[in-house]
Amino acid sequence: MLSIVIFLPVAAGILLAVFKKITPAAARWVWLTTTLVDLALIAGITVAGQTSGDGLVAEEQMAWMPGIGTSYHIGVDGFSLPLLLLTGVVFVASAAWSLRTEDRPRAQAALFLFLQTTCLGLFAAQDLILFFLWFDLSIVGMYFVIAGWGHGNARRSALKFFLYTFLGSLALLLGFIGLYLNSSPHTFDMIELSQAGAFTGNAVTGGLILTAIVVGLAIKTPTFPFHSWLPPAHTDAPSIGSVVLAAVMLKMGTYGFVRIAMPMLPDAWRAGAWVIVAVGIVSVLYGALVALAQTDVKRMIAFTSINHMGYVILAVGAAGIVSQDSEQAQHLAITGAVIQMVSHGLITGALFLLAGVFWDRTGSYDLRRYGGLASPAPRFAGFFAIAAFASLGLPGFSGFIAEFQIFTGSIGTTLWAALALPGILIVAVLFLRAFQRVFTGPTTGLSPGFDDLRSREIVPLVVLLGLSVIIGIFPGPLIELIAPAADQLISVLGR
């Protein structure tokens, strides 16, 4: 069933690419129907999946390249299932948002279905080579999304995105080779490498391997100082390209920390935990402060992504600071980090859809060119306000649950984590200031005649923000889903 979930989108995409007589309307509906079916299958695995001896749900393993210790090994657990569900929801929202698109809809649908398979495959991979394969293919897919459907200086931004993130993938591959060479027996299997004694290298070797992996994942996240590709990529990408990039693809980096770096190199992770914490604090504050200075709404949201991903980096770093009474704090930090990945995907996905409305209506993202927009577009103003409050971590939204657990757990292991708290205040200031500038006061600039949200645009926003509210009010099921994987990771870090 998990293989069907992974390969169903790309199979539909191939059909759309091959059969050129498919009409644009049919292509759009095939895209939406495929994403809905895939989401239903993921939900079925989540509810009814049987756990294997490795703690994985829907595990599959077949020989692939046995001579080098790699196999087609997939499976999901409490870390990957929430991200699989997030991927399904985000691609459904993107397909629904594009039901009226007229810009090469058949090619666009085929490309996004391919991109969906790469994302699902990465979160389900239990082999390092398989992980790397999906990691690289996702870069290729997003390059063509930005270059083919972007605007502004799209080709330059796409090239910068590709070169930056491909460099990160090379660093990641170097780290994977180091893990393989220093494991006994030599293997790329992620379960075997996470078991006690799989890594046999010394502390220096472990530190070098961890550095390569962390750099590769940090570029993808991205975190300070590897973030410079993100703002231009978002600014020039199409709306749904920005949604998938922010909501799903950035999580490939943070997911790699809890799936690969922490369990496979626990000694090196503990030794470097303070560095990770410091990078997380800087990312939180830097992302918020630079976002505050932006006048382009897409660049502003892009820099808040650096801020929000900084919370995840802070949490996983703090979880590596092991002490006698730190298990509860570690559990909160790790659980909060995974919830933050899901929360950021839902909320920032909605924000980028709303940012796309500015471009669709007027061709400008410049916040200074709008004023009093709440009068001609009250529904748009209402949804923007909800998304902004969700992003700043207001109680009742998923962001509050995530940030509360992250800071409780992180401060529980190190008081230095409190230095990141002003990041929440700065994000609140920037969103409230942006809302006041754009939506309140007299209707001026590009605001007169601005078309309000249409029904096809409201539905995806309701789905994304509605799920954020559900998690914010009823977080228990998501926390329970993550908890076993978090406990297993803590036991590895503490040994």
Side-chain angles (χ1 to χ4, degrees):
M1 182 61 72
L2 190 54
S3 288
I4 294 173
V5 165
I6 293 170
F7 292 105
L8 176 63
V10 75
I14 290 172
L15 290 176
L16 290 175
V18 170
F19 293 101
K20 298 182 179 180
K21 292 185 179 180
I22 295 176
T23 64
R28 291 190 289 263
W29 281 106
V30 167
W31 181 12
L32 179 59
T33 302
T34 303
T35 58
L36 285 169
V37 171
D38 217 43
L39 178 58
L41 293 175
I42 297 169
I45 289 175
T46 305
V47 173
Q50 297 296 315
T51 304
S52 69
D54 296 328
L56 297 175
V57 173
E59 185 178 14
E60 302 173 35
Q61 188 168 14
M62 294 185 295
W64 184 22
M65 292 183 284
I68 61 170
T70 189
S71 64
Y72 174 77
H73 189 187
I74 57 174
V76 288
D77 63 1
F79 289 152
S80 47
L81 267 175
L83 296 175
L84 242 67
L85 288 166
L86 172 67
T87 301
V89 169
V90 167
F91 276 92
V92 167
S94 299
W97 188 268
S98 301
L99 277 176
R100 296 294 179 89
T101 184
E102 298 296 336
D103 185 8
R104 295 160 292 159
R106 185 171 60 86
Q108 185 186 61
L111 183 56
F112 271 85
L113 287 167
F114 164 78
L115 197 55
Q116 183 174 359
T117 285
T118 67
C119 297
L120 294 169
L122 182 139
F123 293 132
Q126 297 298 329
D127 183 274
L128 291 177
I129 297 300
L130 202 57
F131 183 98
F132 178 78
L133 172 69
W134 297 126
F135 191 93
D136 259 13
L137 288 177
S138 70
I139 298 172
V140 175
M142 184 52 65
Y143 168 81
F144 285 110
V145 167
I146 299 172
W149 281 266
H151 41 256
N153 204 349
R155 292 185 179 181
R156 184 177 185 275
S157 297
L159 182 61
K160 186 174 184 178
F161 159 80
F162 183 87
L163 292 177
Y164 243 103
T165 51
F166 188 69
L167 178 63
S169 76
L170 293 179
L172 200 62
L173 180 61
L174 185 63
F176 289 172
I177 293 172
L179 281 172
Y180 172 82
L181 294 175
N182 287 276
S183 62
S184 181
H186 295 320
T187 182
F188 285 105
D189 191 87
M190 294 161 72
I191 300 299
E192 293 182 26
L193 287 168
S194 298
Q195 293 173 349
F199 180 78
T200 58
N202 57 40
V204 174
T205 303
L208 292 173
I209 294 172
L210 180 64
T211 300
I213 292 174
V214 166
V215 168
L217 297 174
I219 290 174
K220 189 77 167 186
T221 299
T223 186
F224 180 87
F226 306 107
H227 63 279
S228 62
W229 63 265
L230 183 67
H234 273 310
T235 302
D236 296 332
S239 298
I240 56 172
S242 291
V243 170
V244 170
L245 179 59
V248 180
M249 291 183 64
L250 300 191
K251 310 308 177 295
M252 294 177 176
T254 50
Y255 172 74
F257 287 116
V258 296
R259 173 62 67 209
I260 298 172
M262 297 173 73
M264 296 183 193
L265 294 159
D267 294 336
W269 187 266
R270 288 194 300 269
W274 286 104
V275 176
I276 304 296
V277 168
V279 170
I281 293 171
V282 172
S283 296
V284 168
L285 298 177
Y286 175 85
L289 288 169
V290 178
L292 186 63
Q294 302 304 309
T295 57
D296 182 298
V297 64
K298 261 199 165 185
R299 289 183 66 87
M300 181 187 77
I301 298 169
F303 278 107
T304 63
S305 290
I306 297 170
N307 164 268
H308 285 97
M309 290 297 94
Y311 294 135
V312 178
I313 302 302
L314 170 64
V316 296
I321 301 174
V322 180
S323 62
Q324 186 175 357
D325 301 316
S326 65
E327 282 194 15
Q328 181 62 30
Q330 288 176 293
H331 183 91
L332 285 170
I334 293 170
T335 305
V338 179
I339 295 176
Q340 175 69 354
M341 296 183 210
V342 176
S343 175
H344 176 265
L346 297 172
I347 297 167
T348 305
L351 281 168
F352 274 119
L353 289 180
L354 290 165
V357 174
F358 285 107
W359 183 267
D360 292 340
R361 303 295 195 270
T362 65
S364 175
Y365 294 124
D366 193 340
L367 297 172
R368 297 168 297 183
R369 301 184 67 185
Y370 300 92
L373 194 53
S375 180
R379 293 192 296 274
F380 182 50
F383 275 101
F384 193 94
I386 293 170
F389 285 129
S391 186
L392 60 88
L394 199 71
F397 293 97
S398 55
F400 173 77
I401 302 297
E403 292 172 15
F404 173 79
Q405 292 194 86
I406 285 172
F407 279 107
T408 303
S410 299
I411 294 173
T413 61
T414 170
L415 290 175
W416 289 104
L419 291 175
L421 282 170
I424 299 175
L425 179 62
I426 298 169
V427 170
V429 170
L430 74 89
F431 272 117
L432 292 175
R433 190 182 67 169
F435 185 85
Q436 185 181 45
R437 172 185 288 175
V438 173
F439 293 98
T440 63
T443 304
T444 59
L446 298 176
S447 296
F450 194 99
D451 290 338
D452 207 352
L453 291 177
R454 307 175 184 112
S455 57
R456 70 174 180 85
E457 296 167 331
I458 290 174
V459 172
L461 292 169
V462 168
V463 170
L464 294 173
L465 295 175
L467 286 171
S468 177
V469 172
I470 291 171
I471 294 172
I473 298 175
F474 304 106
L478 181 57
I479 293 174
E480 291 174 5
L481 181 63
I482 299 168
D487 289 337
Q488 187 174 4
L489 179 56
I490 291 167
S491 67
V492 171
L493 288 172
R495 67 183 177 220

